[in-house]
Amino acid sequence: MNMREKIEAAAARYPDQRSAIMPALLIAQKDHGHLPGPVLEEVADILGVERIWVYELATFYTLFHTEPVGLFHLQLCDNLSCMLRRSEDLLRHLETVLGIEKGGTTPDGLFTLSTVECLGACEMAPVMQVGDDYHGDLDIARIDALLDRLRATAGQATGAADLAAAAPPGE
Amino acid sequence: MFEPVLLRNMDVPDGHLLATYEAGGGYQALAKALREHTPDEIVDLVKQSNLRGRGGAGFPTGMKWSFVPKRAGKPKYLCCNADEGEPGTFKDRIIMERDPHQLIEGMAISAYAIGAETAYVYIRGEYVLAIRRLEQAIAEAHEKGYLGTRILGSDFSFVVHIHCGAGAYICGEETAMLDSLEGKRAQPRLKPPFPAVEGLYASPTAINNVETLACVPHILARGPDWFRGIGPDKSPGPKLYCLSGQVRKPGLYELPMGIPLRELVEDHAGGPPPGRKIKAVIPGGVSAPLIPECGLDVGMDFDSLAAAGSMLGSAGVIVIDDSTCMVKVATRIIEFFHHESCGKCTPCREGLNWVVKVLRRVEAGQGAPGDLEQLEALCKGIFGNSFCALGDGAAMGLKAALAHFEHEFVAHIEEQRCPFH
Amino acid sequence: MVSVTIDEQTLEVEAGSTVLQAAERLGIEIPTFCYLKRLPALASCRMCLVEIEGQRRLQPSCATAVTDGMVVRTNTPLIDETRSSMLDMLLANHPLDCPICDKGGECELQDQVMAYGPRESRFRDAKRVFHSADIRLSPVIIMNVNRCIQCQRCVRMCEDVVGAVALGTIEKGMDTAVTGFEGSLASCDQCGNCVEVCPVGALMSFPYRYKARPWDLVETDTVCPHCGTGCQLTVGARKGEFMRVRSKWEHGVNRETLCVRGRFGLDFVGSRDRIKRPMIRRDGALVPVSWDVAGDYLRRRLSAVESKAAGGLASPRLPNEVLYQFQKLMRTVFRTNNIDCSSRWSTPFETLGPLVAGFYTRAPLEEVIGNDCVLVVGGNVTDENPVTEYLLRDAARRRQTTLIMLSARPSRLDADARAVVRVAPGAEAASLAAVAAALVAGAGQNSVGEVIADIDATTGGPAATTGSDGPDRLAALLLKGRSVTVLVSADLLRLSEARATLQQLTNLLRVLRVLGKGPAMQFLFDRANQLGAWDMGVLPAVLPGLRPVGDHAARTALIRAWGAEIPPEPGADLDAMLALCDKGRVGALYIVGSDPLMTYPDRGFVKRALDATDLLIVQDTFLTDTVGLADVVLPAAGYGEESGTFTNNEGRIQAVRKFREPAFEARGNLAILDFVAALRNQAMQPSMQGEIFREIARLVPAYQGLTQDGLGADGAFTKAAPGPPAGAFFASPPAPNAADRLMLVTGNCLFHNGYLSERSEILNTVADDPYVEMSAWDAAQLCLSDRDQVVVRSAQGELRAQLKVNRHFPPGLVFVPENYRDLRLNSLMRRGEYPCPVEVQKAHAAFATGVGARPESRGQGIAELPGSSP
Ligand SMILES: Cc1cc2nc3c(=O)[nH]c(=O)nc-3n(C[C@H](O)[C@H](O)[C@H](O)COP(=O)(O)O)c2cc1C
Ligand code: SF4
Ligand code: FES
């Protein structure tokens, strides 16, 4: 299914097209990586809803990105339970080894590093979400191993298309 | 040893599959409900069970359902609150990942009780595995006729759709969830009208938490008296407790309502890490005011915790030991609320921003005389005046931290540094 | 009724009232920010919290309904503290840049801090700054996000009232910001209602930016000169220079809202395109002269044509007093009934007269659309009467009014309608007949048997068919309604079938009356004083008060009052006058404030006719095309330069006030009429505006007893005495031919509705370029796409403009707005033929930019205008 078909299928679940803006944005973001203006317009067009409504949602919710993000989005939880288990140390470590600050993207476009609010997995704190997957009970060694694995996945890909395909498993 | 109810399939391999669920008697309760009970009788059974909402507010579920008008001339909706954004909480995720059919069966029975033909499960978007498992389970249930038209040969038809959240804590607030489902920015709505009367698409809507709905098949199967027999009569039932923070065995525990907090933390979860002492515990997610060590003998149920000045909330129990700076804890909590404030009302949007600025300064050793008074005044301005409970929760949390650990705040200001560094 | 006690005072209020409303009734002030009377309560600012006995928390008075026996307190220390605390929090991040803020001095935040605020803030930390520079959201709207207090009035206004949905709110929490899609409001209505309702200086009018401090402005309450809705507005001028327009909640039909034309389209008063001095034609060219020289010249020319027929045309944007005086001058000095007030259509008054007399409802629009069923016929109310449209939307959304649209042009309001019947342009009469027939069929024979039979007999029963079920659906809704209002676009008068359309409208209204629906009817005029112009008798067949010229009693009464004869026969309307001109039979043609060369169908014909007129007198404010053909040009005061009254669509008469002096050598219209009469050795008595008003109030029945002082802030209603409709029902119109061609219609667009708006620099910066609108279906058939340059060609002529594909348009319909001078749209039209069959094709590449070469150059005949160059 192309993006339009996927969005139309999602919209069929609701009595009102406006409800489908969120699912449509999730679909569009999967397809495009992020949500620049023209994509928002396209979503509005497909659903026949006001453009400003789409823009409102794309900026209200933190999972939507109107700016590009790296291939691997490292989302480290720094909420209370993770903080109590020293997620700050992990953040500092990640900033050092990636050479970026929180919120930044590595120059090779591989990693974007963010901190996020509670991921709802405090039993395995500290936790980081990368793509669709949760990685729990982290410490510095595990972080390093994870980064190596991610780099290896990306390394196997060559062209840009491959790189996109190498993105963490999704739907 | 308490025999698990909600978690009974947790460690069963393939517990999320329909076959496993059916093998354990799954969907028998739905069949029984459709065969033996009218919708009103189910509402009554749930009322008799004294089941109270597990989402945080503890509102009696049967009573909530009874507010849904019988004849509305409009479709009715059931919304399952699976947004689980309250820091320290992960019970709903685990139910959906490991035993999604329990939830689906609960939804089907609940929808039958209120006369809804459509349900939306609002799951936070980060829960990718839970979403996949639930999608798969819905498909299976459809195939087997537990969902769809004329379920199990009855007149009852019911479909369940998943709606993924996209990262906003406020969507857990039930009316903000409705706006979010309608494709708007998630901001709480004025009440009245209450959702039961005018909810999703201005139609009657029941909104229930995942764990609440998961209790329903068991109430049907074993009867309200059994349910009421577990824990305090006014706040009964099996309960999921999420243990996290500075505790030896973090994890999800199923135990009776009303179990003493100390027993939960020290016996079941193994107490603080070696060589540490408990300083305070947050009993119900960060919205619940913390309880200092000396108060741990309180029972973990809605009424006992309310009487102790805190709340059961989402039962996200976060343990804080004596190595931790309480100013830092308070700052982190308020930063969370500040970040997640939807921005609708003045006290929460502006007040929390101000609080955060002062707290960060105090924590960094740049506090000034008068800062604590300022924080108290801000708490007063926010508490009771915010539009929804988010602002209240933040103010209550801060007030408790200030009340119980004032000396730590004072030390930061006087010494112009954090004594824990 | 329920009883409530607030601060020890007890009062009975209607159930459902809010605490805030009850407090207002008691004169107890409760501060608010997010509350706006015409919007549903949001309850987010928390300024209005009050104590209610038995409630744990303070409650928002704006959203709390009063219950019987409720005890409320608004004056406790806790409330004082809470208000102060809310303000303190709002100020913490507010930039406090009041000295350079346009809102300073009329800012609600400032005022509330004065009244309730903390005297000192404890806030010591750095303030949040979104953007250091203000954001230009559109050519007219600019935003300072730092000052925003998140009351959301603007966003709700834009979506709920205006229906534009251009503004929105992005981000959340502290980052929340109001803006347009991707930070732009380029495609919004530019109505500026968001600016008006902003309590602080967050949304601002760009044209007014840094121009004045409010206390330096002289403010004048007046009425908008653009459409017939007749919105009240307040003009702010500094040292006689126009600065801005604001509007007030308390006043008028519009209640604080305006459209782009009203809010931003008044700068035309300062347009450079003024006629500065009188001009006379010398050696084929117009040359500026003094008033004396013009007078001498005109006196000579007038006496030379004395024996020939005369005619007069005056604009329906002139005040009542000028219009009244104009027709009096024409009848008594020029001794003719050849008078008209529309340069765009003919007014078949023998049909229109009884319709207006029998059904026109002179009452507040709000009341009229309080009926539970409202049918809007013709036009595009969104573009032509935007503020009326806001009220209709509100009725549909919040009062559950059943809204029904029957028109050729789609409009934004269709989205809020319960039924939309799209008719082929020109088939309005047939559709209306079908609706009436369906009503008769649907009503059955029970109660109204005889009349129904009568209707059946004359109309031929349900024979009228339009080949769609639209009329049936529509009739079913009308039958369900308890009371019905019919709003009629004056656009229908353009149709060649106008007479038949009005007849069928009359039938429909009569049927509704028989069915007990108590139908109310108003026209939706696109000219500010169209109803006034009719009332004043600026028509060939009627005297002031809409009484036929042949009405002996009325005529004698006027003759006695005026002390002058009035010709006994109806005169010629504009079309007939032009035909007479064309035949060389008209001596003097006197045109006041009107530009028929631009607007009357068939430009070639109009030009020929005006050229063939012995003496063309044009009295105007601006240099119009028609001015270029005049023999004598008299510079007149423009809008805002003389006082008078307008009668709006509701029949509400309102004061139009002067806020500046006539520019250059322009004189007041009344003075000029006097001047002209004097040239014929006659005097117009009375001649002053106030006296003329009194004469109108004496001699025009609907205006009887009105006084200028009595108009007050909200105007006063003229009173009609609806006569019972007489005679048989009109026969059904012939079934319309299914058009196999594209049909061109015209009308106003949102940004323009006449040559005043075209002289507004601000409107020109926000308006689209000239365009041609058609359906996606037709465009696809013709292999055209949006924004293509296209040629529209009729049997008469052609024009080029950019194509706008509109997916709501029905196939077969082409729309070109009538107000772009450069398009010369009327050169495509033929007299008496409307809609106009056309072809549309892609413009040849060579012509692809802008408007192509024009058949005649503008301003022709004006050799040199030293008086008018900038
Ligand atoms: C700020 C806020 C966040 C909330 N988040 C959640 C949540 O994540 N999950 C949940 O079930 N309830 C949450 N709630 C509670 C819901 O508003 C609501 O009470 C609950 O979903 C009702 O279901 P229940 O009666 O089954 O508990 C939240 C409430 C507030 C005020
Ligand atoms: S308290 Fe106010 S700003 Fe905060 S989340 Fe609730 S409504 Fe939004
Ligand atoms: S606090 Fe990090 S997952 Fe909950």
Side-chain angles (χ1 to χ4, degrees):
Chain A
M1 284 205 281
N2 63 23
M3 180 171 115
R4 171 180 285 271
E5 288 160 352
K6 279 189 261 182
I7 290 178
E8 281 167 355
R13 300 199 296 257
Y14 307 94
D16 180 358
Q17 296 281 298
R18 186 171 182 180
S19 284
I21 300 176
M22 270 175 90
L25 288 175
L26 286 167
I27 291 165
Q29 184 158 284
K30 273 245 146 69
D31 271 29
H32 292 266
H34 72 292
L35 297 167
V39 173
L40 300 182
E41 276 179 63
E42 197 182 342
V43 166
D45 242 35
I46 293 172
L47 294 174
V49 297
E50 304 290 345
R51 290 186 306 173
I52 186 73
W53 291 345
V54 178
Y55 189 46
E56 284 182 333
L57 298 204
T59 56
F60 185 91
Y61 297 99
T62 53
L63 295 191
F64 297 133
H65 306 291
T66 49
E67 299 296 324
V69 285
L71 183 59
F72 301 114
H73 191 182
L74 311 178
Q75 305 181 82
L76 180 71
C77 174
D78 69 349
N79 208 302
L80 188 57
S81 301
C82 286
M83 181 194 99
L84 293 171
R85 291 186 160 247
R86 314 209 60 84
S87 68
E88 266 172 306
D89 296 351
L90 302 184
L91 176 64
R92 235 167 290 134
H93 178 70
L94 280 166
E95 286 180 334
T96 314
V97 298
L98 296 176
I100 51 177
E101 288 193 1
K102 149 176 137 177
T105 300
T106 52
D108 58 7
L110 275 191
F111 299 105
T112 297
L113 176 63
S114 311
T115 54
V116 293
E117 299 298 1
C118 178
L119 288 166
C122 324
E123 83 277 20
M124 45 168 137
V127 197
M128 181 163 79
Q129 183 170 23
V130 183
D132 287 350
D133 301 325
Y134 278 23
H135 303 269
D137 294 320
L138 290 174
D139 53 24
I140 286 180
R142 289 207 171 121
I143 289 265
D144 289 341
L146 174 63
L147 290 181
D148 286 345
R149 258 183 293 138
L150 293 174
R151 284 205 186 88
T153 329
Q156 283 158 14
T158 43
D162 286 347
L163 213 62
E171 277 145 309
Chain B
M1 201 28 207
F2 180 73
E3 179 221 337
V5 179
L6 300 166
L7 295 187
R8 73 188 190 290
N9 282 337
M10 280 311 119
D11 300 319
V12 181
D14 288 336
H16 62 283
L17 295 183
L18 180 57
T20 324
Y21 189 65
E22 279 178 322
Y27 289 109
Q28 296 298 323
L30 174 63
K32 182 174 166 196
L34 296 179
R35 208 173 42 237
E36 295 173 15
H37 296 294
T38 63
D40 285 354
E41 284 169 16
I42 295 177
V43 173
D44 280 341
L45 286 174
V46 173
K47 269 191 191 162
Q48 285 162 30
S49 75
N50 277 0
L51 169 64
R52 290 171 67 174
R54 303 315 199 213
F59 195 83
T61 305
M63 200 196 304
K64 191 190 276 188
W65 292 355
S66 67
F67 296 151
V68 176
K70 300 240 159 9
R71 262 172 294 278
K74 284 180 178 180
K76 297 183 224 175
Y77 295 98
L78 173 69
C79 288
C80 170
N81 191 341
D83 196 49
E84 197 159 62
E86 183 68 32
T89 316
F90 43 85
K91 61 194 178 69
D92 299 339
R93 186 193 95 237
I94 290 182
I95 293 179
M96 293 185 288
E97 283 178 358
R98 313 240 186 119
D99 198 358
H101 285 286
Q102 189 177 198
L103 172 60
I104 294 172
E105 184 174 14
M107 279 198 282
I109 297 169
S110 310
Y112 174 67
I114 62 163
E117 298 204 332
T118 309
Y120 293 97
V121 185
Y122 194 108
I123 312 189
R124 56 182 301 184
E126 295 90 338
Y127 281 1
V128 179
L129 180 61
I131 291 165
R132 261 187 240 148
R133 291 261 164 96
L134 195 62
E135 270 172 355
Q136 190 187 350
I138 290 170
E140 281 182 315
H142 251 283
E143 201 145 297
K144 274 294 196 85
Y146 297 128
L147 291 176
T149 42
R150 306 186 61 87
I151 294 168
L152 301 175
S154 70
D155 284 342
F156 173 59
S157 302
F158 176 58
V159 292
V160 177
H161 299 299
I162 290 179
H163 186 96
C164 294
Y169 167 68
I170 192 62
C171 293
E173 197 284 333
E174 56 185 16
T175 58
M177 167 175 296
L178 296 178
D179 264 18
S180 181
L181 263 167
E182 289 181 9
K184 301 171 187 159
R185 302 169 76 242
Q187 292 193 322
R189 296 181 182 176
L190 267 173
K191 289 187 264 193
F194 290 93
V197 181
E198 223 175 276
L200 189 60
Y201 309 118
S203 299
T205 305
I207 303 160
N208 287 108
N209 169 260
V210 172
E211 185 188 347
T212 312
L213 292 167
C215 288
V216 172
H218 305 289
I219 294 172
L220 257 283
R222 306 203 205 177
D225 292 341
W226 158 80
F227 193 85
R228 258 170 70 175
I230 302 168
D233 186 62
K234 291 232 171 80
S235 179
K239 178 74 192 99
L240 300 180
Y241 300 100
C242 313
L243 271 287
S244 71
Q246 287 155 332
V247 65
R248 280 197 224 194
K249 294 190 285 176
L252 187 61
Y253 294 83
E254 182 173 11
L255 290 161
M257 270 281 191
I259 182 173
L261 178 53
R262 189 180 298 283
E263 183 186 330
L264 182 61
V265 173
E266 294 187 347
D267 299 352
H268 295 277
R276 290 283 160 211
K277 283 199 294 228
I278 293 176
K279 191 192 249 184
V281 176
I282 291 174
V286 298
S287 299
L290 55 76
I291 296 178
E293 200 278 339
C294 58
L296 293 191
D297 296 306
V298 63
M300 287 293 282
D301 60 84
F302 292 108
D303 303 321
S304 309
L305 279 164
S310 185
M311 61 185 202
L312 179 60
S314 61
V317 182
I318 306 172
V319 183
I320 301 161
D321 73 21
D322 59 352
S323 68
T324 302
C325 165
M326 291 311 283
V327 176
K328 187 167 172 180
V329 168
T331 308
R332 191 61 205 87
I333 291 176
I334 299 300
E335 280 175 341
F336 165 75
F337 286 115
H338 170 243
H339 183 254
E340 294 302 331
S341 165
C342 77
K344 180 171 184 148
C345 69
T346 307
C348 174
R349 181 187 66 244
E350 308 286 335
L352 291 180
N353 178 253
W354 188 340
V355 172
V356 162
K357 282 179 178 160
V358 177
L359 280 175
R360 282 188 183 149
R361 207 159 32 72
V362 172
E363 193 204 346
Q366 288 154 12
D371 278 351
L372 293 190
E373 291 73 16
Q374 213 180 100
L375 290 175
E376 307 259 3
L378 283 165
C379 282
K380 199 165 171 206
I382 298 167
F383 183 74
N385 296 332
S386 61
F387 189 96
C388 81
L390 187 148
D392 284 345
M396 283 192 303
L398 179 60
K399 259 207 289 206
L402 285 169
H404 297 298
F405 297 97
E406 191 184 345
H407 55 281
E408 291 196 19
F409 288 85
V410 171
H412 277 75
I413 296 171
E414 282 178 354
E415 296 172 30
Q416 293 284 293
R417 66 180 193 93
C418 172
F420 289 83
H421 280 315
Chain C
M1 296 297 265
V2 292
S3 149
V4 55
T5 305
I6 308 181
D7 298 343
E8 271 80 55
Q9 303 180 60
T10 301
L11 156 98
E12 296 261 306
V13 291
E14 276 164 46
S17 308
T18 61
V19 173
L20 185 66
Q21 286 162 341
E24 196 183 355
R25 294 258 302 276
L26 286 171
I28 295 171
E29 194 183 304
I30 298 178
T32 59
F33 282 123
C34 67
Y35 175 72
L36 204 59
K37 280 203 171 88
R38 65 190 298 161
L39 296 171
L42 188 66
S44 67
C45 75
R46 318 308 275 178
M47 272 309 288
C48 72
L49 297 176
V50 294
E51 284 183 50
I52 297 178
E53 243 171 47
Q55 302 259 15
R56 261 185 315 124
R57 300 164 57 115
L58 300 182
Q59 297 295 320
S61 59
C62 68
T64 305
V66 168
T67 54
D68 201 30
M70 185 183 262
V71 178
V72 181
R73 272 183 208 89
T74 77
N75 54 3
T76 66
L78 175 63
I79 289 177
D80 290 347
E81 195 186 333
T82 307
R83 288 173 183 170
S84 159
S85 169
M86 293 306 129
L87 287 166
D88 203 8
M89 291 193 235
L90 282 174
L91 289 180
N93 276 310
H94 190 87
L96 296 175
D97 54 352
C98 311
I100 53 150
C101 177
D102 282 337
K103 200 78 175 187
E106 49 190 12
C107 167
E108 292 179 36
L109 184 59
Q110 267 183 349
D111 294 349
Q112 296 209 4
V113 172
M114 271 298 282
Y116 309 102
R119 286 284 164 262
E120 190 192 359
S121 175
R122 302 168 181 245
F123 187 77
R124 295 282 172 274
D125 299 275
K127 284 181 192 277
R128 164 209 57 191
V129 178
F130 275 104
H131 299 276
S132 47
D134 296 352
I135 305 164
R136 186 89 181 265
L137 293 175
S138 87
V140 291
I141 298 169
I142 188 160
M143 175 81 177
N144 181 310
V145 197
N146 302 324
R147 296 183 190 141
C148 172
I149 58 164
Q150 284 306 326
C151 65
Q152 293 282 312
R153 286 181 187 178
C154 52
V155 174
R156 292 179 290 151
M157 178 57 98
C158 184
E159 175 158 352
D160 292 352
V161 176
V162 178
V165 205
L167 266 184
T169 314
I170 60 163
E171 304 290 345
K172 72 171 194 285
M174 244 350 241
D175 300 326
T176 305
V178 167
T179 186
F181 182 74
E182 292 225 276
S184 158
L185 285 176
S187 59
C188 87
D189 283 11
Q190 318 291 356
C191 62
N193 287 315
C194 53
V195 174
E196 186 62 53
V197 297
C198 180
V200 296
L203 282 162
M204 293 168 289
S205 153
F206 186 74
Y208 171 64
R209 190 127 209 264
Y210 299 145
K211 273 218 177 144
R213 304 302 312 195
W215 50 84
D216 286 339
L217 295 177
V218 176
E219 301 217 299
T220 309
D221 291 338
T222 185
V223 181
C224 176
H226 289 292
C227 86
T229 301
C231 295
Q232 291 249 353
L233 45 79
T234 301
V235 169
R238 197 185 56 185
K239 299 192 186 120
E241 200 188 335
F242 170 80
M243 289 283 131
R244 67 161 188 195
V245 163
R246 286 202 66 187
S247 47
K248 301 177 177 165
W249 160 259
E250 306 85 56
H251 297 322
V253 57
N254 50 312
R255 291 289 160 125
E256 198 168 24
T257 55
L258 288 172
C259 77
V260 61
R261 301 187 296 244
R263 193 171 306 281
F264 292 113
L266 258 57
D267 61 323
F268 72 81
V269 299
S271 162
R272 289 158 183 247
D273 202 11
R274 291 285 296 238
I275 305 169
K276 299 188 174 170
R277 305 181 64 195
M279 292 187 280
I280 59 174
R281 190 164 295 277
R282 235 182 235 155
D283 305 328
L286 281 175
V287 289
V289 295
S290 69
W291 275 97
D292 286 346
V293 173
D296 289 343
Y297 176 84
L298 186 53
R299 185 195 315 271
R300 256 187 295 116
R301 297 288 308 265
L302 278 174
S303 47
V305 297
E306 204 171 353
S307 56
K308 284 176 93 171
L313 173 68
S315 161
R317 275 196 226 272
L318 292 166
N320 285 319
E321 293 78 359
V322 173
L323 289 166
Y324 177 85
Q325 198 78 337
F326 178 73
Q327 57 84 33
K328 190 172 170 186
L329 174 90
M330 291 314 296
R331 294 189 212 276
T332 59
V333 177
F334 286 87
R335 289 194 288 279
T336 180
N337 285 330
N338 297 343
I339 319 170
D340 208 343
C341 61
S342 173
S343 59
R344 296 173 296 157
W345 54 62
S346 298
T347 316
F349 218 82
E350 78 294 348
T351 319
L352 190 62
L355 175 63
V356 170
F359 293 96
Y360 210 100
T361 312
R362 293 175 189 250
L365 186 62
E366 212 178 326
E367 197 178 302
V368 168
I369 61 183
N371 277 345
D372 62 0
C373 200
V374 176
L375 168 65
V376 181
V377 185
N380 173 346
V381 61
T382 306
D383 282 3
E384 312 215 292
N385 302 87
V387 173
T388 299
E389 192 241 23
Y390 305 163
L391 293 173
L392 286 168
R393 172 174 298 104
D394 187 66
R397 288 191 186 171
R398 292 180 56 202
R399 293 202 272 171
Q400 277 74 47
T401 297
T402 302
L403 185 64
I404 309 167
M405 311 293 289
L406 185 152
S407 68
R409 281 174 77 187
S411 79
R412 190 158 73 203
L413 195 57
D414 292 351
D416 285 295
R418 284 279 292 284
V420 176
V421 179
R422 196 87 313 135
V423 299
E428 285 85 349
S431 291
L432 288 167
V435 173
L439 270 181
V440 171
Q445 300 286 325
N446 334 1
S447 52
V448 284
E450 268 172 49
V451 192
I452 300 290
D454 179 20
I455 302 169
D456 262 354
T458 38
T459 61
T465 168
T466 55
S468 91
D469 68 337
D472 292 340
R473 278 188 294 131
L474 200 156
L477 289 172
L478 290 176
L479 279 173
K480 261 195 242 149
R482 265 174 291 117
S483 51
V484 173
T485 290
V486 183
L487 298 178
V488 185
S489 168
D491 233 34
L492 296 179
L493 294 173
R494 293 176 198 266
L495 296 166
S496 8
E497 302 302 325
R499 182 168 284 112
T501 312
L502 294 173
Q503 288 176 347
Q504 295 311 317
L505 197 60
T506 309
N507 278 2
L508 175 65
L509 286 160
R510 287 180 66 180
V511 171
L512 287 169
R513 186 170 282 168
V514 169
L515 294 176
K517 307 290 183 191
M521 187 273 283
Q522 280 178 1
F523 267 91
L524 298 173
F525 295 115
D526 63 349
R527 293 291 187 263
N529 199 26
Q530 184 73 62
L531 185 59
W534 286 1
D535 283 345
M536 294 305 113
V538 189
L539 284 169
V542 292
L543 299 168
L546 297 174
R547 293 163 298 182
V549 169
D551 179 334
H552 185 71
R555 217 176 81 248
T556 13
L558 285 173
I559 289 173
R560 198 168 320 123
W562 292 349
E565 272 308 310
I566 300 172
E569 297 300 323
D573 67 2
L574 176 63
D575 191 74
M577 278 189 260
L578 290 172
L580 283 175
C581 290
D582 193 28
K583 294 198 190 98
R585 288 179 35 203
V586 173
L589 186 64
Y590 190 178
I591 299 182
V592 183
S594 200
D595 189 11
L597 182 59
M598 259 308 295
T599 49
Y600 199 73
D602 198 341
R603 188 180 177 95
F605 161 72
V606 178
K607 174 146 194 318
R608 254 193 350 260
L610 295 182
D611 279 343
T613 307
D614 293 348
L615 172 59
L616 179 62
I617 311 165
V618 179
Q619 170 176 330
D620 210 319
T621 309
F622 298 108
L623 287 161
T624 62
D625 281 15
T626 303
V627 164
L629 302 180
D631 296 295
V632 182
V633 180
L634 305 172
Y639 170 79
E641 296 174 350
E642 67 188 336
S643 294
T645 57
F646 283 169
T647 308
N648 75 353
N649 298 349
E650 305 170 283
R652 189 199 295 253
I653 179 167
Q654 309 183 94
V656 192
R657 297 192 178 85
K658 178 172 172 170
F659 55 82
R660 53 181 257 150
E661 289 305 317
F664 308 105
E665 291 183 26
R667 292 185 181 172
N669 280 292
L670 290 173
I672 303 177
L673 297 179
D674 244 13
F675 171 83
V676 172
L679 299 177
R680 299 292 303 267
N681 302 318
Q682 299 202 29
M684 299 297 292
Q685 280 306 336
S687 66
M688 304 300 283
Q689 186 265 336
E691 297 165 343
I692 299 170
F693 183 92
R694 278 195 291 280
E695 179 167 316
I696 294 170
R698 212 169 54 216
L699 299 179
V700 179
Y703 293 64
Q704 211 110 57
L706 293 171
T707 63
Q708 241 175 325
D709 289 344
L711 297 189
D714 269 329
F717 278 84
T718 55
K719 284 178 277 306
F729 282 84
F730 295 105
S732 288
N737 301 326
D740 52 352
R741 308 192 54 184
L742 293 172
M743 285 297 188
L744 170 71
V745 298
T746 185
N748 303 292
C749 59
L750 188 58
F751 299 101
H752 282 308
N753 80 338
Y755 71 71
L756 298 187
S757 67
E758 236 203 335
R759 281 168 173 78
S760 155
E761 260 177 55
I762 305 178
L763 288 180
N764 287 331
T765 61
V766 292
D768 305 306
D769 286 337
Y771 62 92
V772 175
E773 216 167 357
M774 66 158 49
S775 70
W777 193 86
D778 285 322
Q781 294 293 302
L782 297 166
C783 300
L784 298 171
S785 33
D786 200 38
R787 318 181 75 116
D788 277 354
Q789 285 294 324
V790 294
V791 180
V792 181
R793 191 172 292 121
S794 75
Q796 307 288 108
E798 63 179 50
L799 59 79
R800 285 183 186 77
Q802 196 175 60
L803 182 67
K804 214 189 224 182
V805 175
N806 182 332
R807 62 187 161 110
H808 300 293
F809 252 48
L813 185 69
V814 176
F815 174 80
V816 178
E818 68 175 344
N819 310 112
Y820 291 97
R821 270 195 280 187
D822 289 349
L823 288 183
R824 296 173 181 267
L825 174 67
N826 65 334
S827 58
L828 271 65
M829 310 258 188
R830 206 202 311 257
R831 272 172 80 202
E833 178 188 61
Y834 185 91
C836 169
V838 290
E839 284 164 10
V840 179
Q841 56 183 230
K842 206 174 198 135
H844 194 274
F847 293 117
T849 51
V851 178
R854 284 187 244 98
E856 44 183 323
S857 67
R858 198 157 100 231
Q860 173 229 28
I862 304 180
E864 166 196 25
L865 291 176
S868 69
S869 60

